Amino acid sequence: DILGVKSSGGKKYDVIIANINRNILLSDMKIYTDSLDQEGTLLLSGFYKDDMVVIESEVIKYGLVLDKMIQKNNWVALKYLK
């Protein structure tokens, strides 16, 4: 949730950071992407490498492009650009 609410209220952000489990990331992806500025950055973490395929398939629906991936052990962080 962005700022603890289910909607950004029309506000736009340069950067959104979501460090939470896969299921919540997937359910809130539209809120994240709708709330990004035109050239915004979305940082996602808090999930396993095995979750990347399902997360990637959801993110690309909204036109974001993977810019960087960081992996430590089985945990992953992803940087997407709008």
Side-chain angles (χ1 to χ4, degrees):
D1 300 309
I2 298 171
L3 303 176
V5 296
K6 283 285 185 184
S7 169
S8 67
K11 294 180 183 178
K12 298 287 184 178
Y13 302 91
D14 294 331
V15 177
I16 294 175
I17 301 169
N19 180 24
I20 199 157
N21 74 57
R22 177 191 82 166
N23 294 333
I24 294 174
L25 289 173
L26 294 172
S27 70
D28 290 348
M29 193 63 65
K30 182 168 176 29
I31 295 170
Y32 303 148
T33 57
D34 287 350
S35 301
L36 277 177
D37 280 330
Q38 190 61 10
E39 296 181 13
T41 299
L42 177 61
L43 302 172
L44 304 176
S45 63
F47 54 90
Y48 297 111
K49 182 179 179 185
D50 294 343
D51 296 327
M52 280 184 57
V53 173
V54 70
I55 290 173
E56 175 74 6
S57 67
E58 186 67 17
V59 172
I60 62 172
K61 289 179 187 177
Y62 299 103
L64 276 68
V65 177
L66 181 63
D67 181 59
K68 187 172 185 177
M69 178 189 94
I70 298 172
Q71 180 180 346
K72 184 171 184 178
N73 300 320
N74 199 30
W75 293 96
V76 175
L78 303 173
K79 178 183 176 186
Y80 287 94
L81 303 175
K82 191 165 188 184

